[in-house]
């Protein structure tokens, strides 16, 4: 399903294409799935489960600081995209518009990545409550564009840029001038106090 939807798009993929590519009888497909949408959703769910397990294992193995785990998790994700261009296209491009159910699954998957990033992010950062949604959405959009240009296999080349993008808000990059001035004033007051 990933290969077909990558080659033709979800809408143009027919049941006949799926059974031919899978080398199974039409009856066998319908014994296991209700139709094309169920095949697509099953492939999508399997891919999301696989990549989340890879990321969580990489993060756990990395241990250490939160930023190290984020970097290692991001690297595992980008490696998965590079190694699985058809699956990545299915999940990051086709799923958004294939069917309403696929779009909802995409949204749920994005939320799972948000939860993973947020799980033990630094507390009391003063960042907006939506920062993790913004960061995950930004990474997804950059990869969406990379895949559309036919560059899924080069996803790891985005590692330095995406690492900076994800970690910089937590490091204080991009703080507003007013917040920096307030922090500077309170640091000065504390040292004088």
């Amino acid at each position: 399903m990933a290969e077909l939807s990558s080659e033709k798009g979800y809408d143009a993929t027919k049941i006949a294409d799926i059974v031919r590519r899978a080398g199974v009888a039409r009856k066998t497909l319908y014994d296991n799935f209700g139709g094309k949408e169920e095949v697509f959703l099953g492939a999508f769910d399997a891919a999301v489960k696989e990549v989340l397990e890879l990321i969580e294992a990489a993060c756990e193995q990395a241990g250490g600081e939160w930023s190290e785990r984020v970097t290692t998790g991001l690297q595992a994700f980008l490696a998965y995209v590079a190694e699985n261009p058809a699956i990545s296209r299915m999940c990051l491009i086709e799923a958004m518009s294939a069917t309403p159910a696929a779009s909802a699954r995409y949204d749920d998957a994005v939320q799972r990545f948000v939860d993973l990033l947020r799980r033990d992010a630094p507390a009391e950062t003063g960042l907006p409550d939506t920062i993790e949604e913004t960061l995950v959405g930004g990474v997804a959009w950059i990869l969406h564009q990379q895949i559309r240009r036919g560059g899924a296999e080069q996803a790891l080349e985005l590692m330095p840029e995406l690492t900076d993008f994800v970690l910089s808000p937590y490091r204080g990059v991009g703080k507003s001038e007013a917040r920096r001035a307030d922090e500077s004033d309170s640091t000065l007051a504390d040292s004088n106090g």
Side-chain angles (χ1 to χ4, degrees):
M1 187 68 205
E3 292 170 0
L4 287 167
S5 65
S6 178
E7 294 165 13
K8 299 175 150 218
Y10 175 81
D11 287 335
T13 300
K14 307 295 179 216
I15 289 292
D17 299 323
I18 298 169
V19 296
R20 190 175 320 116
R21 182 72 57 99
V24 299
R26 184 179 289 264
K27 180 182 178 343
T28 303
L29 182 132
Y30 282 111
D31 286 345
N32 293 285
F33 298 97
K36 177 173 83 167
E37 182 181 37
E38 278 191 26
V39 174
F40 186 90
L41 294 175
F44 179 87
D45 291 345
V48 169
K49 181 178 188 282
E50 181 179 30
V51 75
L52 280 169
E53 287 173 355
L54 285 170
I55 291 169
E56 288 178 335
C59 291
E60 190 172 311
Q61 198 170 28
E65 295 288 319
W66 176 79
S67 61
E68 291 173 41
R69 292 190 305 276
V70 168
T71 301
T72 302
L74 183 58
Q75 184 170 12
F77 181 53
L78 295 177
Y80 184 88
V81 169
E83 293 165 13
N84 301 282
I87 292 171
S88 299
R89 182 175 187 85
M90 178 187 70
C91 291
L92 288 164
I93 295 176
E94 293 298 319
M96 292 172 61
S97 61
T99 67
S103 179
R105 296 273 176 93
Y106 175 86
D107 291 344
D108 290 344
V110 168
Q111 187 58 50
R112 291 172 70 187
F113 285 97
V114 167
D115 294 343
L116 190 60
L117 180 60
R118 183 178 283 150
R119 187 167 51 199
D120 57 2
E124 304 299 323
T125 60
L127 295 168
D129 291 340
T130 58
I131 191 66
E132 288 83 11
E133 287 93 342
T134 303
L135 296 171
V136 170
V139 169
W141 179 250
I142 296 295
L143 287 171
H144 176 97
Q145 295 302 311
Q146 181 83 5
I147 293 164
R148 284 188 61 176
R149 288 190 298 266
E153 292 88 349
Q154 291 80 38
L156 278 165
E157 293 173 13
L158 297 169
M159 185 66 190
E161 178 183 342
L162 290 179
T163 301
D164 286 346
F165 172 72
V166 172
L167 295 178
S168 64
Y170 300 98
R171 293 178 174 153
V173 176
K175 284 185 180 178
S176 71
E177 290 300 320
R179 279 186 33 211
R180 276 192 228 127
D182 287 347
E183 289 171 2
S184 177
D185 289 347
S186 66
T187 301
L188 185 59
D190 288 345
S191 65
N192 289 335

